[in-house]
Amino acid sequence: MDPVIIVGAGPVGLTLALALARQEVPSVVLDEGPGKDEPRLARTVVLREDTAALVERLTGVPLDGAGLRWAGWRAMRRRQVTREVTFGDEEPAPLHIAQHVLSGILRTAVEGERLVRMCVDSRLDTVEQEPSGVTAHTRGPQGTWWRGSYLIGCDGPRSTVRKLLDIRFPGRTAVERHAVAALRAELPWDGEALLHRTPPWRTSGPFAGEITGRPLPDGVWRLDWLLPPGKDLVTPELLLARVRETLAGWNDGPTPAYELLDTGVHTVHHRLARRWRAGRVLLAGDAAHLLGAFGTHGLDEGLRDADNLAWKLSLAWHHGPHEALLDSYQTERRAVVAARLRAADQALPLLRGGGGIRAYVPGTARGHHLLLGDGHLGRGPLGAPGTYAGSPLAPRHLEAEVPVHTPPGAPVEDVLVTAEDGSFVRLRDRLGRGALLVVLVAPGTGVWERRHWVGAGLMPRLAAAVTALPSPAELLVAESYPGAAAHTVLLIRPDGHLVTALTGVRPADLYAAAEAAVGGKPADATEDAKEATAGSTAN
């Protein structure tokens, strides 16, 4: 079968190529550039802990040295600290990393991947598709025709793929603007990120009195100054004045020594493509959505697009067209991003309006800090990872379904599990292989060798039920899972979202849930499912 064509070699396109390769799907990555990224320390990304783990799993490279996991986060208003967060085991830290560093790690991994072909200086100009596949043409020194099974547009905000498909991209332009500086300096908050509103020192010129400081490795900081609405020019002189003023204010004295490394102006747009799929052509990342106000993490959502799409493309590539499964990519991901955009657009007038609701609601200033903090920390409506509770892949009316701390459709917790070979691994390490995961919660199994319990209790019956599922699945065992009683069985998608939790071994319900999760009929446990699992039930 023809490879998947990926248009765009940014972090989303490279992540998708690696994710497909892990599931034995070949791809061709069309890069209109020369194959390397310009170093820009003023262009950084913040990844949630599980998204950073996705990159580490695909590349095999720990990101701790390449980026910085913050020790803490604080919000200030004038000179008062209004909120502090300390990161640790109970509160995983986000990862802050320069985008060119992240891209470099992904490119290096792609270069060593036999199933990924990189084609530089290849600009797409034509896409044609028919029921059996996609044909694309590129111009440039290596201009040629390409044949693929599917084509994914990961080619950014000005996506050629989206334009060739005539897909509208409505939304709001210049929702926010920030003056940005990357510099090396010693600040009072070692390894801690900071949101400072209404600093006490005088701020003149086109600056709105809100500063964000995010640390990077090697004593480097990215500082962002919110700019008021409009198109006021930010001259180098004005920006240097703000740098000196801010550093002096934070150090309560003269401006300390610093090294200015990079500057820029970051403009935030909010846009959402009307469609993310047209036949065998799909969109991901900035080609499908733009968001980023209040600290929301646009690239983080793009990487989640790739994770969601990769296993669905893999099943379609290996087992033939699966329209319901591919359609669910748009349904799930577009709904999540649309909800984040709505939340940001609703919060924008409250947080930037300079009054309004403040006059009527007591404690509004504190609420504003909480909202902004949610965006920066990846929490709440402005920042939390989306769930797929309303997904067309969600099973319906399972008699044995029980609640656990993870709602159906939400990302699962990363607990320690025992694999089929008896080794102890993290649950997250088993994701992204194209298989469903079935996890039995069985207290006590962690202290015994696998050979002592693999043939005892519920295990033989559950193993037979897993073998009978309509899609490949891996059976794992966990000592515990948050909110789960003993003998609870969790069914988890390849991208780490919970399908359902069942009490005990219920082969018919497990079959129905697995069938729904891979795009089958999302209905009650049917007679067909009961017949398919009759053998395992007899065991």
Side-chain angles (χ1 to χ4, degrees):
M1 191 171 176
D2 295 318
V4 173
I5 300 173
I6 298 173
V7 183
V12 174
L14 297 172
T15 297
L16 178 59
L18 289 171
L20 289 173
R22 296 299 182 272
Q23 297 168 68
E24 297 298 317
V25 177
S27 62
V28 174
V29 180
L30 304 180
D31 184 357
E32 71 175 56
K36 58 183 180 180
D37 298 278
E38 177 189 3
R40 289 293 310 275
L41 287 173
R43 189 179 186 190
T44 65
V45 297
V46 179
L47 303 180
R48 298 185 191 93
E49 188 261 347
D50 60 331
T51 318
L54 166 66
V55 176
E56 292 179 331
R57 185 169 70 244
L58 293 175
T59 62
V61 177
L63 297 181
D64 285 349
L68 185 70
R69 298 184 195 273
W70 299 334
W73 182 90
R74 67 179 58 206
M76 296 179 65
R77 185 170 185 269
R78 300 189 184 279
R79 295 189 181 277
Q80 180 184 6
V81 176
T82 59
R83 186 180 182 189
E84 286 187 274
V85 175
T86 300
F87 297 116
D89 293 339
E90 298 297 321
E91 182 72 42
L95 177 83
H96 187 212
I97 185 171
Q99 184 162 321
H100 72 273
V101 173
L102 176 63
S103 295
I105 292 171
L106 291 165
R107 283 184 186 275
T108 300
V110 163
E111 289 169 1
E113 180 51 66
R114 63 179 178 84
L115 290 177
V116 182
R117 178 179 178 183
M118 286 289 298
C119 301
V120 301
D121 298 319
S122 299
R123 182 177 178 82
L124 182 76
D125 60 10
T126 302
V127 173
E128 299 174 359
Q129 61 174 315
E130 57 275 347
S132 61
V134 181
T135 302
H137 183 265
T138 55
R139 54 185 172 88
Q142 302 182 42
T144 187
W145 289 93
W146 301 89
R147 181 68 181 173
S149 54
Y150 296 91
L151 184 145
I152 317 300
C154 304
D155 48 344
R158 297 180 177 84
S159 171
T160 300
V161 175
R162 189 184 65 241
K163 292 173 183 175
L164 289 173
L165 294 177
D166 196 25
I167 294 176
R168 293 185 59 205
F169 198 39
R172 301 175 62 196
T173 300
V175 173
E176 286 187 350
R177 288 196 312 147
H178 297 261
V180 182
L183 50 89
R184 184 174 284 110
E186 289 189 15
L187 296 183
W189 312 284
D190 185 23
E192 294 188 5
L194 170 74
L195 171 67
H196 196 169
R197 305 191 79 195
T198 322
W201 56 83
R202 178 178 178 272
T203 298
S204 58
F207 292 83
E210 180 177 305
I211 312 165
T212 305
R214 302 182 180 98
L216 285 162
D218 302 321
V220 175
W221 288 78
R222 170 176 166 166
L223 305 185
D224 290 55
W225 293 264
L226 177 67
L227 300 172
K231 298 182 178 180
D232 291 337
L233 181 64
V234 179
T235 65
E237 293 77 15
L238 276 172
L239 185 53
L240 282 173
R242 289 296 80 73
V243 168
R244 298 189 188 102
E245 179 184 71
T246 300
L247 295 182
W250 282 344
N251 284 276
D252 291 324
T255 302
Y258 69 93
E259 179 185 1
L260 188 62
L261 304 171
D262 193 16
T263 62
V265 174
H266 172 54
T267 303
V268 175
H269 308 288
H270 280 178
R271 295 188 178 277
L272 186 64
R274 292 289 191 194
R275 293 180 294 147
W276 291 25
R277 183 189 179 201
R280 289 179 173 264
V281 181
L282 301 99
L283 302 176
D286 286 352
H289 52 77
L290 293 176
L291 70 164
F294 309 136
T296 53
H297 311 154
L299 179 58
D300 190 277
E301 291 292 357
L303 297 182
R304 291 176 189 274
D305 293 346
D307 196 26
N308 183 289
L309 180 57
W311 70 274
K312 298 173 181 179
L313 275 177
S314 173
L315 284 176
W317 195 89
H318 285 294
H319 303 292
H322 208 318
E323 298 306 307
L325 188 62
L326 292 180
D327 282 344
S328 73
Y329 164 67
Q330 171 178 307
T331 304
E332 291 178 345
R333 292 300 307 148
R334 192 177 186 279
V336 165
V337 176
R340 300 254 330 250
L341 285 171
R342 282 195 300 270
D345 286 342
Q346 290 168 1
L348 187 67
L350 306 182
L351 298 175
R352 306 297 191 222
I357 197 171
R358 236 182 235 276
Y360 304 98
V361 181
T364 300
R366 184 174 185 276
H368 289 182
H369 279 287
L370 290 173
L371 269 177
L372 281 171
D374 284 346
H376 285 271
L377 296 173
R379 300 171 171 176
L382 290 180
T387 67
Y388 306 140
S391 168
L393 305 183
R396 310 284 187 251
H397 309 304
L398 300 174
E399 294 180 0
E401 189 168 35
V402 293
V404 295
H405 284 180
T406 302
V412 294
E413 299 287 338
D414 186 29
V415 298
L416 189 69
V417 296
T418 306
E420 293 180 347
D421 62 0
S423 62
F424 293 99
V425 296
R426 304 300 304 183
L427 177 57
R428 193 175 280 157
D429 292 338
R430 313 306 290 182
L431 300 175
R433 301 176 179 221
L436 298 170
L437 302 181
V438 179
V439 180
L440 172 66
V441 178
T445 52
V447 299
W448 300 98
E449 291 186 19
R450 180 179 181 274
R451 61 188 176 90
H452 292 305
W453 50 259
V454 69
L458 302 176
M459 282 300 294
R461 188 178 176 208
L462 180 58
V466 170
T467 302
L469 293 181
S471 180
E474 179 181 9
L475 177 57
L476 304 167
V477 178
E479 275 265 7
S480 63
Y481 187 88
H487 302 158
T488 298
V489 175
L490 309 175
L491 181 63
I492 302 167
R493 300 176 2 163
D495 59 356
H497 287 253
L498 181 67
V499 178
T500 189
L502 305 173
T503 177
V505 180
R506 303 294 183 94
D509 277 356
L510 186 62
Y511 186 100
E515 183 181 46
V518 296
K521 184 180 180 181
D524 300 352
T526 61
E527 291 302 319
D528 289 342
K530 294 176 182 177
E531 292 175 8
T533 55
S536 62
T537 305
N539 291 331

